[in-house]
Amino acid sequence: MDSVIKGQVAILGDFVSADVILPARHSFLPPEEMAANVLGELGPDVNERVRSHPILVVGKAFGYGTGRESPARALRAAGVRAIIGGPFARMFFRNCLNNGILTIECPELVAQGVQEADSVTVSLDDSTIRHRDAVFSFPPIAPAVLAIIAAGGLIPYGRTLLGVST
């Protein structure tokens, strides 16, 4: 995995449920179709913003509600590489990791006033997030978690460990 994730952010607010991220009726679609429907409940402009920004900055309880894995899969299919904010709903947090999305709790970044399309740099080497002139620290991410994210998710990681090809 790259030790730096850099890109423009899409901003989403507090209390966005997993059912809003991807309604259950879209859970069994192919990944490309899931991506086309991710956050569509909030409007087509939100879907477009998320699909064109690799980093989401979100508010409290993002992903709460259902434990379905499909909302995280849909975000991954939409090109999301990292989600910063929180605190996150725990099942959603784990589902993101299982699907290869780096999820970092850093409500300080949200409180600082990051704006839509601002550039953010996440450094895994020194566990920092840079936005403009501000630097935010987060706890180091365990090597095993980084390996899962680098592999693209828990299943590809398991296949690598077992030496099984897809």
Side-chain angles (χ1 to χ4, degrees):
M1 161 170 224
D2 294 335
S3 63
V4 174
I5 298 173
K6 183 176 182 175
Q8 291 182 320
V9 301
I11 305 294
L12 297 166
D14 294 337
F15 304 106
V16 176
S17 77
D19 284 321
V20 169
I21 295 169
L22 187 74
R25 68 183 176 273
H26 302 301
S27 291
F28 299 102
L29 295 173
E32 312 79 43
E33 292 179 43
M34 280 183 170
N37 288 287
V38 74
L39 290 156
E41 299 288 303
L42 298 178
D45 62 313
V46 177
N47 176 274
E48 197 173 296
R49 285 185 8 238
V50 168
R51 293 176 71 185
S52 62
H53 296 84
I55 301 171
L56 303 182
V57 174
V58 302
K60 295 181 273 194
F62 189 78
Y64 78 93
T66 182
R68 285 182 293 107
E69 194 172 329
S70 55
R73 282 197 327 259
L75 289 169
R76 172 72 183 206
V80 173
R81 295 189 58 209
I83 305 174
I84 305 167
F88 294 95
R90 299 318 300 168
M91 287 183 88
F92 178 76
F93 182 89
R94 185 60 207 207
N95 284 338
C96 284
L97 297 179
N98 288 350
N99 282 280
I101 299 173
L102 179 63
T103 310
I104 300 171
E105 291 200 1
C106 185
E108 300 83 10
L109 175 67
V110 177
Q112 193 234 355
V114 64
Q115 299 292 313
E116 183 75 26
D118 279 359
S119 184
V120 169
T121 302
V122 177
S123 172
L124 298 173
D125 291 336
D126 62 1
S127 300
T128 60
I129 301 167
R130 287 178 170 70
H131 172 250
R132 297 186 183 142
D133 295 330
V135 178
F136 305 90
S137 296
F138 59 89
I141 297 175
V145 172
L146 291 176
I148 291 168
I149 292 168
L154 188 59
I155 291 173
Y157 174 71
R159 286 183 177 137
T160 300
L161 287 179
L162 296 172
V164 176
S165 62
T166 53

PDB file of all heavy atoms in Angstrom, residues 141-164:
ATOM      1  N   ILE A 141      -1.621   2.784  12.509  1.00  0.00           N
ATOM      2  CA  ILE A 141      -2.483   1.693  12.072  1.00  0.00           C
ATOM      3  C   ILE A 141      -1.658   0.406  12.082  1.00  0.00           C
ATOM      4  O   ILE A 141      -0.521   0.379  11.590  1.00  0.00           O
ATOM      5  CB  ILE A 141      -3.064   1.992  10.688  1.00  0.00           C
ATOM      6  CG1 ILE A 141      -3.927   3.254  10.813  1.00  0.00           C
ATOM      7  CG2 ILE A 141      -3.869   0.821  10.161  1.00  0.00           C
ATOM      8  CD1 ILE A 141      -4.492   3.783   9.558  1.00  0.00           C
ATOM      9  N   ALA A 142      -2.232  -0.621  12.649  1.00  0.00           N
ATOM     10  CA  ALA A 142      -1.533  -1.907  12.801  1.00  0.00           C
ATOM     11  C   ALA A 142      -1.095  -2.439  11.442  1.00  0.00           C
ATOM     12  O   ALA A 142      -1.830  -2.328  10.452  1.00  0.00           O
ATOM     13  CB  ALA A 142      -2.441  -2.914  13.495  1.00  0.00           C
ATOM     14  N   PRO A 143       0.100  -3.033  11.394  1.00  0.00           N
ATOM     15  CA  PRO A 143       0.588  -3.596  10.127  1.00  0.00           C
ATOM     16  C   PRO A 143      -0.379  -4.603   9.498  1.00  0.00           C
ATOM     17  O   PRO A 143      -0.520  -4.635   8.274  1.00  0.00           O
ATOM     18  CB  PRO A 143       1.905  -4.260  10.518  1.00  0.00           C
ATOM     19  CG  PRO A 143       2.362  -3.509  11.728  1.00  0.00           C
ATOM     20  CD  PRO A 143       1.096  -3.134  12.461  1.00  0.00           C
ATOM     21  N   ALA A 144      -1.051  -5.404  10.302  1.00  0.00           N
ATOM     22  CA  ALA A 144      -2.001  -6.379   9.749  1.00  0.00           C
ATOM     23  C   ALA A 144      -3.158  -5.677   9.053  1.00  0.00           C
ATOM     24  O   ALA A 144      -3.606  -6.105   7.985  1.00  0.00           O
ATOM     25  CB  ALA A 144      -2.527  -7.296  10.847  1.00  0.00           C
ATOM     26  N   VAL A 145      -3.629  -4.577   9.625  1.00  0.00           N
ATOM     27  CA  VAL A 145      -4.724  -3.809   9.012  1.00  0.00           C
ATOM     28  C   VAL A 145      -4.233  -3.173   7.719  1.00  0.00           C
ATOM     29  O   VAL A 145      -4.930  -3.197   6.697  1.00  0.00           O
ATOM     30  CB  VAL A 145      -5.270  -2.752   9.996  1.00  0.00           C
ATOM     31  CG1 VAL A 145      -6.255  -1.820   9.308  1.00  0.00           C
ATOM     32  CG2 VAL A 145      -5.917  -3.428  11.187  1.00  0.00           C
ATOM     33  N   LEU A 146      -3.032  -2.628   7.738  1.00  0.00           N
ATOM     34  CA  LEU A 146      -2.467  -2.048   6.513  1.00  0.00           C
ATOM     35  C   LEU A 146      -2.316  -3.099   5.413  1.00  0.00           C
ATOM     36  O   LEU A 146      -2.545  -2.807   4.239  1.00  0.00           O
ATOM     37  CB  LEU A 146      -1.129  -1.377   6.808  1.00  0.00           C
ATOM     38  CG  LEU A 146      -1.199  -0.109   7.647  1.00  0.00           C
ATOM     39  CD1 LEU A 146       0.211   0.392   7.956  1.00  0.00           C
ATOM     40  CD2 LEU A 146      -2.021   0.961   6.963  1.00  0.00           C
ATOM     41  N   ALA A 147      -1.957  -4.306   5.798  1.00  0.00           N
ATOM     42  CA  ALA A 147      -1.819  -5.384   4.807  1.00  0.00           C
ATOM     43  C   ALA A 147      -3.172  -5.735   4.186  1.00  0.00           C
ATOM     44  O   ALA A 147      -3.254  -6.002   2.981  1.00  0.00           O
ATOM     45  CB  ALA A 147      -1.183  -6.615   5.453  1.00  0.00           C
ATOM     46  N   ILE A 148      -4.218  -5.733   4.981  1.00  0.00           N
ATOM     47  CA  ILE A 148      -5.565  -6.002   4.466  1.00  0.00           C
ATOM     48  C   ILE A 148      -5.970  -4.910   3.476  1.00  0.00           C
ATOM     49  O   ILE A 148      -6.470  -5.197   2.383  1.00  0.00           O
ATOM     50  CB  ILE A 148      -6.588  -6.104   5.619  1.00  0.00           C
ATOM     51  CG1 ILE A 148      -6.322  -7.370   6.434  1.00  0.00           C
ATOM     52  CG2 ILE A 148      -8.024  -6.079   5.096  1.00  0.00           C
ATOM     53  CD1 ILE A 148      -7.075  -7.427   7.758  1.00  0.00           C
ATOM     54  N   ILE A 149      -5.727  -3.662   3.842  1.00  0.00           N
ATOM     55  CA  ILE A 149      -6.077  -2.541   2.964  1.00  0.00           C
ATOM     56  C   ILE A 149      -5.257  -2.598   1.678  1.00  0.00           C
ATOM     57  O   ILE A 149      -5.777  -2.416   0.582  1.00  0.00           O
ATOM     58  CB  ILE A 149      -5.911  -1.199   3.703  1.00  0.00           C
ATOM     59  CG1 ILE A 149      -6.972  -1.110   4.800  1.00  0.00           C
ATOM     60  CG2 ILE A 149      -6.025  -0.025   2.741  1.00  0.00           C
ATOM     61  CD1 ILE A 149      -6.748   0.010   5.774  1.00  0.00           C
ATOM     62  N   ALA A 150      -3.959  -2.874   1.809  1.00  0.00           N
ATOM     63  CA  ALA A 150      -3.082  -2.949   0.632  1.00  0.00           C
ATOM     64  C   ALA A 150      -3.511  -4.058  -0.325  1.00  0.00           C
ATOM     65  O   ALA A 150      -3.403  -3.909  -1.543  1.00  0.00           O
ATOM     66  CB  ALA A 150      -1.638  -3.163   1.068  1.00  0.00           C
ATOM     67  N   ALA A 151      -4.027  -5.148   0.220  1.00  0.00           N
ATOM     68  CA  ALA A 151      -4.466  -6.265  -0.620  1.00  0.00           C
ATOM     69  C   ALA A 151      -5.795  -5.976  -1.311  1.00  0.00           C
ATOM     70  O   ALA A 151      -6.187  -6.708  -2.222  1.00  0.00           O
ATOM     71  CB  ALA A 151      -4.588  -7.530   0.227  1.00  0.00           C
ATOM     72  N   GLY A 152      -6.485  -4.919  -0.876  1.00  0.00           N
ATOM     73  CA  GLY A 152      -7.779  -4.597  -1.462  1.00  0.00           C
ATOM     74  C   GLY A 152      -8.936  -5.141  -0.664  1.00  0.00           C
ATOM     75  O   GLY A 152     -10.075  -5.112  -1.104  1.00  0.00           O
ATOM     76  N   GLY A 153      -8.659  -5.676   0.522  1.00  0.00           N
ATOM     77  CA  GLY A 153      -9.718  -6.185   1.386  1.00  0.00           C
ATOM     78  C   GLY A 153      -9.315  -7.487   2.044  1.00  0.00           C
ATOM     79  O   GLY A 153      -8.260  -8.065   1.771  1.00  0.00           O
ATOM     80  N   LEU A 154     -10.182  -7.951   2.937  1.00  0.00           N
ATOM     81  CA  LEU A 154      -9.894  -9.142   3.725  1.00  0.00           C
ATOM     82  C   LEU A 154      -9.842 -10.412   2.868  1.00  0.00           C
ATOM     83  O   LEU A 154      -8.964 -11.256   3.073  1.00  0.00           O
ATOM     84  CB  LEU A 154     -10.935  -9.288   4.834  1.00  0.00           C
ATOM     85  CG  LEU A 154     -10.686 -10.373   5.862  1.00  0.00           C
ATOM     86  CD1 LEU A 154      -9.355 -10.143   6.577  1.00  0.00           C
ATOM     87  CD2 LEU A 154     -11.828 -10.418   6.870  1.00  0.00           C
ATOM     88  N   ILE A 155     -10.742 -10.552   1.929  1.00  0.00           N
ATOM     89  CA  ILE A 155     -10.750 -11.767   1.102  1.00  0.00           C
ATOM     90  C   ILE A 155      -9.508 -11.838   0.223  1.00  0.00           C
ATOM     91  O   ILE A 155      -8.823 -12.875   0.209  1.00  0.00           O
ATOM     92  CB  ILE A 155     -12.063 -11.889   0.300  1.00  0.00           C
ATOM     93  CG1 ILE A 155     -13.211 -12.169   1.271  1.00  0.00           C
ATOM     94  CG2 ILE A 155     -11.963 -12.977  -0.770  1.00  0.00           C
ATOM     95  CD1 ILE A 155     -14.582 -12.157   0.654  1.00  0.00           C
ATOM     96  N   PRO A 156      -9.140 -10.779  -0.506  1.00  0.00           N
ATOM     97  CA  PRO A 156      -7.889 -10.855  -1.267  1.00  0.00           C
ATOM     98  C   PRO A 156      -6.665 -11.079  -0.368  1.00  0.00           C
ATOM     99  O   PRO A 156      -5.742 -11.797  -0.744  1.00  0.00           O
ATOM    100  CB  PRO A 156      -7.795  -9.503  -1.974  1.00  0.00           C
ATOM    101  CG  PRO A 156      -9.185  -8.968  -1.998  1.00  0.00           C
ATOM    102  CD  PRO A 156      -9.858  -9.526  -0.794  1.00  0.00           C
ATOM    103  N   TYR A 157      -6.681 -10.496   0.825  1.00  0.00           N
ATOM    104  CA  TYR A 157      -5.585 -10.692   1.762  1.00  0.00           C
ATOM    105  C   TYR A 157      -5.500 -12.167   2.172  1.00  0.00           C
ATOM    106  O   TYR A 157      -4.421 -12.765   2.177  1.00  0.00           O
ATOM    107  CB  TYR A 157      -5.799  -9.809   2.994  1.00  0.00           C
ATOM    108  CG  TYR A 157      -4.804 -10.041   4.103  1.00  0.00           C
ATOM    109  CD1 TYR A 157      -3.480  -9.644   3.976  1.00  0.00           C
ATOM    110  CD2 TYR A 157      -5.199 -10.654   5.290  1.00  0.00           C
ATOM    111  CE1 TYR A 157      -2.569  -9.844   4.997  1.00  0.00           C
ATOM    112  CE2 TYR A 157      -4.293 -10.853   6.312  1.00  0.00           C
ATOM    113  CZ  TYR A 157      -2.985 -10.452   6.169  1.00  0.00           C
ATOM    114  OH  TYR A 157      -2.092 -10.671   7.190  1.00  0.00           O
ATOM    115  N   GLY A 158      -6.637 -12.759   2.488  1.00  0.00           N
ATOM    116  CA  GLY A 158      -6.676 -14.187   2.867  1.00  0.00           C
ATOM    117  C   GLY A 158      -6.196 -15.080   1.724  1.00  0.00           C
ATOM    118  O   GLY A 158      -5.469 -16.041   1.948  1.00  0.00           O
ATOM    119  N   ARG A 159      -6.600 -14.736   0.509  1.00  0.00           N
ATOM    120  CA  ARG A 159      -6.153 -15.525  -0.643  1.00  0.00           C
ATOM    121  C   ARG A 159      -4.637 -15.463  -0.800  1.00  0.00           C
ATOM    122  O   ARG A 159      -3.991 -16.440  -1.133  1.00  0.00           O
ATOM    123  CB  ARG A 159      -6.830 -15.033  -1.916  1.00  0.00           C
ATOM    124  CG  ARG A 159      -8.269 -15.436  -2.004  1.00  0.00           C
ATOM    125  CD  ARG A 159      -8.883 -14.991  -3.317  1.00  0.00           C
ATOM    126  NE  ARG A 159     -10.249 -15.461  -3.396  1.00  0.00           N
ATOM    127  CZ  ARG A 159     -11.265 -14.748  -3.827  1.00  0.00           C
ATOM    128  NH1 ARG A 159     -11.067 -13.507  -4.236  1.00  0.00           N
ATOM    129  NH2 ARG A 159     -12.479 -15.266  -3.871  1.00  0.00           N
ATOM    130  N   THR A 160      -4.079 -14.261  -0.560  1.00  0.00           N
ATOM    131  CA  THR A 160      -2.623 -14.097  -0.640  1.00  0.00           C
ATOM    132  C   THR A 160      -1.948 -14.962   0.413  1.00  0.00           C
ATOM    133  O   THR A 160      -0.949 -15.634   0.114  1.00  0.00           O
ATOM    134  CB  THR A 160      -2.240 -12.613  -0.434  1.00  0.00           C
ATOM    135  OG1 THR A 160      -2.871 -11.852  -1.447  1.00  0.00           O
ATOM    136  CG2 THR A 160      -0.741 -12.411  -0.501  1.00  0.00           C
ATOM    137  N   LEU A 161      -2.459 -14.942   1.632  1.00  0.00           N
ATOM    138  CA  LEU A 161      -1.871 -15.746   2.699  1.00  0.00           C
ATOM    139  C   LEU A 161      -1.920 -17.237   2.383  1.00  0.00           C
ATOM    140  O   LEU A 161      -0.984 -17.973   2.718  1.00  0.00           O
ATOM    141  CB  LEU A 161      -2.604 -15.504   4.023  1.00  0.00           C
ATOM    142  CG  LEU A 161      -2.368 -14.177   4.718  1.00  0.00           C
ATOM    143  CD1 LEU A 161      -3.192 -14.084   5.999  1.00  0.00           C
ATOM    144  CD2 LEU A 161      -0.895 -13.972   5.032  1.00  0.00           C
ATOM    145  N   LEU A 162      -3.014 -17.650   1.754  1.00  0.00           N
ATOM    146  CA  LEU A 162      -3.179 -19.062   1.434  1.00  0.00           C
ATOM    147  C   LEU A 162      -2.537 -19.463   0.103  1.00  0.00           C
ATOM    148  O   LEU A 162      -2.499 -20.634  -0.235  1.00  0.00           O
ATOM    149  CB  LEU A 162      -4.666 -19.413   1.403  1.00  0.00           C
ATOM    150  CG  LEU A 162      -5.406 -19.274   2.730  1.00  0.00           C
ATOM    151  CD1 LEU A 162      -6.900 -19.449   2.527  1.00  0.00           C
ATOM    152  CD2 LEU A 162      -4.866 -20.270   3.749  1.00  0.00           C
ATOM    153  N   GLY A 163      -2.063 -18.468  -0.635  1.00  0.00           N
ATOM    154  CA  GLY A 163      -1.479 -18.761  -1.936  1.00  0.00           C
ATOM    155  C   GLY A 163      -2.494 -19.190  -2.971  1.00  0.00           C
ATOM    156  O   GLY A 163      -2.170 -19.910  -3.912  1.00  0.00           O
ATOM    157  N   VAL A 164      -3.715 -18.711  -2.820  1.00  0.00           N
ATOM    158  CA  VAL A 164      -4.798 -19.065  -3.735  1.00  0.00           C
ATOM    159  C   VAL A 164      -4.966 -17.929  -4.730  1.00  0.00           C
ATOM    160  O   VAL A 164      -5.064 -16.760  -4.357  1.00  0.00           O
ATOM    161  CB  VAL A 164      -6.121 -19.275  -2.945  1.00  0.00           C
ATOM    162  CG1 VAL A 164      -7.275 -19.547  -3.902  1.00  0.00           C
ATOM    163  CG2 VAL A 164      -5.968 -20.382  -1.938  1.00  0.00           C
TER     164      VAL A 164
END
